[in-house]
Amino acid sequence: MRIGQLAQLVGVETQTIRFYEQQGLLSPPDRQDNRYRVYTEKHGEELAFIRRCRILGLSLAEIHELQSYQDDPHQPCTAVNALLDDHISHVRSQITALQALEKQLVSLRARCNDDREVKACGVLAGISEGNMHQQQVRHQPDNPMSCRFVSLSCRGKINHLIGLPDIS
Amino acid sequence: MRIGQLAQLVGVETQTIRFYEQQGLLSPPDRQDNRYRVYTEKHGEELAFIRRCRILGLSLAEIHELQSYQDDPHQPCTAVNALLDDHISHVRSQITALQALEKQLVSLRARCNDDREVKACGVLAGISEGNMHQQQVRHQPDNPMSCRFVSLSCRGKINHLIGLPDIS
DNA sequence: ATTGACCTTATAGTAGCTTTATAGTTTTAA
DNA sequence: TTAAAACTATAAAGCTACTATAAGGTCAAT
């Protein structure tokens, strides 16, 4: 099977497959005389595993970790479960943070009906007043289902922003 | 006020301030003879506005948009509200998607108690079986409160992954 | 013979910063 | 006074997980 076929089978782009190989997540396939990659069913399963992990929001690093566990099947699977528990708790804190954010946005939005000039807009005024704060959420690597709440909160300096009249 | 003081006041790093200036979000300050930046209260307010927007999950591009509205205070503020409404709906769909993900992760986790070998771990087996799917959520720019559900779903190819036994 | 579909590698771009490198300036402690 | 510490400057690379683009080689069919 060549790269295009594998790509179509699993539902990814060919570049993504090459990318995973380059990142050491997918075993390098044999090559034809013309240097075309030749894939087997084993590669299909490997790739599908990677994609399923990505759908679950695991980072490439975490997938790498899982793969290392797979390579050593007699270990206890405590680490696998720990990884998942960890990930679940991240997802939960993301949900919590986003819910708080939604509340804040909705209340901000309520400060203006559409029939004003920007000058009198309660939304912009609300941002400028700014009594907002944010939960402490740890930085997560970029992956399709993950949220980021990066440096803003992680520095603990954001406190300076709360009740900011002293800035002016 | 020099850059370090401004940074401490608002709670960001000095590099971040330079970055915002470079991105055209923060007005370029005057310079001393030694080329050190000199900031005024106005810059403090500008920077605080930017950070509050970031806390609300707005992208730098969206902040830029808001700033352009501020510069034209006699416009109707419909656009401001539209931007916010849009953002709120993104946040809501992120929450929904993450909740679905959490459910999936928790049910996966339930497939293994800790006392097995990796070989028999229901978690890894669960991923390898993989009956997972994902909502269609549009791509969002990277910002501290945003989630990404990038190419995986956006291609519609993910369907191939659902009920994947045909891969092997 | 050439068009088109496929494959190759290498490199740059995305977002919002952070980090590193290299260097000049100012402040402070000995 | 001098030397170290702390601050400032610019430029460029790094982070994540890809995506896109460039420039070319290979292959089947017309």
Side-chain angles (χ1 to χ4, degrees):
Chain A
M1 173 167 45
R2 292 194 315 201
I3 197 168
Q5 293 171 274
L6 179 63
Q8 203 178 7
L9 186 61
V10 181
V12 298
E13 309 223 2
T14 53
Q15 302 109 308
T16 307
I17 296 177
R18 292 191 200 102
F19 173 73
Y20 288 154
E21 181 186 337
Q22 190 203 319
Q23 300 296 300
L25 285 169
L26 189 59
S27 338
D30 287 341
R31 302 288 187 123
Q32 288 173 192
D33 291 344
N34 53 16
R35 302 209 27 82
Y36 285 17
R37 291 171 175 83
V38 189
Y39 292 100
T40 65
E41 290 179 5
K42 196 195 106 226
H43 292 101
E45 281 160 32
E46 258 183 58
L47 182 55
F49 181 85
I50 296 170
R51 292 317 303 214
R52 293 200 201 94
C53 286
R54 298 289 298 120
I55 291 172
L56 294 174
L58 300 175
S59 68
L60 298 191
E62 287 169 321
I63 296 172
H64 214 79
E65 208 180 320
L66 284 183
Q67 288 178 334
S68 77
Y69 300 144
Q70 285 182 313
D71 293 343
D72 195 354
H74 288 294
Q75 276 196 320
C77 65
T78 338
V80 173
N81 292 323
L83 195 156
L84 209 60
D85 285 339
D86 212 36
H87 189 59
I88 289 171
S89 82
H90 293 162
V91 171
R92 286 193 174 139
S93 63
Q94 287 161 16
I95 291 171
T96 308
L98 281 173
Q99 282 169 337
L101 175 60
E102 188 205 348
K103 228 170 125 181
Q104 225 171 96
L105 286 167
V106 168
S107 98
L108 190 61
R109 179 60 179 85
R111 297 185 49 149
C112 184
N113 53 4
D114 292 328
D115 309 321
R116 296 191 195 171
E117 288 186 347
V118 165
K119 201 174 56 177
C121 176
V123 169
L124 288 180
I127 298 175
S128 294
E129 280 167 26
N131 276 34
M132 44 191 66
H133 62 95
Q134 197 181 175
Q135 280 102 326
Q136 198 90 3
V137 184
R138 113 168 184 195
H139 175 64
Q140 255 219 297
D142 189 23
N143 69 46
M145 295 292 281
S146 82
C147 293
R148 299 174 148 211
F149 314 81
V150 197
S151 49
L152 279 182
S153 52
C154 295
R155 313 266 151 208
K157 289 181 181 172
I158 209 66
N159 312 319
H160 294 271
L161 273 174
I162 309 171
L164 196 87
D166 57 322
I167 213 177
S168 54
Chain B
M1 176 168 39
R2 293 195 316 199
I3 197 169
Q5 293 170 274
L6 178 64
Q8 204 179 6
L9 187 62
V10 180
V12 297
E13 308 223 2
T14 53
Q15 302 106 306
T16 307
I17 296 176
R18 290 190 202 103
F19 173 74
Y20 287 152
E21 181 185 335
Q22 190 203 319
Q23 300 296 302
L25 286 170
L26 189 60
S27 340
D30 287 339
R31 302 288 188 123
Q32 289 173 190
D33 293 343
N34 53 15
R35 306 212 19 87
Y36 283 17
R37 292 170 175 83
V38 190
Y39 292 100
T40 65
E41 290 178 6
K42 194 195 105 227
H43 292 101
E45 280 160 32
E46 259 182 56
L47 182 55
F49 181 84
I50 297 169
R51 292 318 305 217
R52 292 198 202 97
C53 287
R54 298 289 296 122
I55 290 173
L56 293 173
L58 301 175
S59 67
L60 298 191
E62 288 169 319
I63 296 172
H64 214 79
E65 207 180 320
L66 284 184
Q67 287 178 335
S68 78
Y69 301 143
Q70 285 183 314
D71 293 344
D72 195 354
H74 289 293
Q75 275 195 319
C77 64
T78 339
V80 173
N81 291 324
L83 194 157
L84 210 59
D85 285 338
D86 211 37
H87 189 58
I88 288 171
S89 81
H90 294 162
V91 169
R92 285 192 175 139
S93 62
Q94 288 161 16
I95 291 171
T96 308
L98 280 174
Q99 282 169 337
L101 175 61
E102 188 205 349
K103 228 171 126 180
Q104 224 171 98
L105 286 167
V106 167
S107 96
L108 189 61
R109 179 59 179 84
R111 299 185 48 148
C112 183
N113 53 3
D114 292 329
D115 307 322
R116 297 190 197 173
E117 288 185 348
V118 164
K119 201 175 54 176
C121 177
V123 169
L124 288 180
I127 298 176
S128 294
E129 282 167 27
N131 275 36
M132 45 191 65
H133 62 96
Q134 196 181 176
Q135 279 104 327
Q136 195 92 3
V137 182
R138 110 168 188 197
H139 175 64
Q140 256 219 298
D142 188 25
N143 69 46
M145 294 294 280
S146 81
C147 293
R148 297 175 152 213
F149 312 82
V150 196
S151 47
L152 278 182
S153 52
C154 296
R155 312 270 149 205
K157 290 183 180 170
I158 209 67
N159 313 320
H160 294 271
L161 273 173
I162 308 170
L164 196 86
D166 57 320
I167 213 175
S168 56

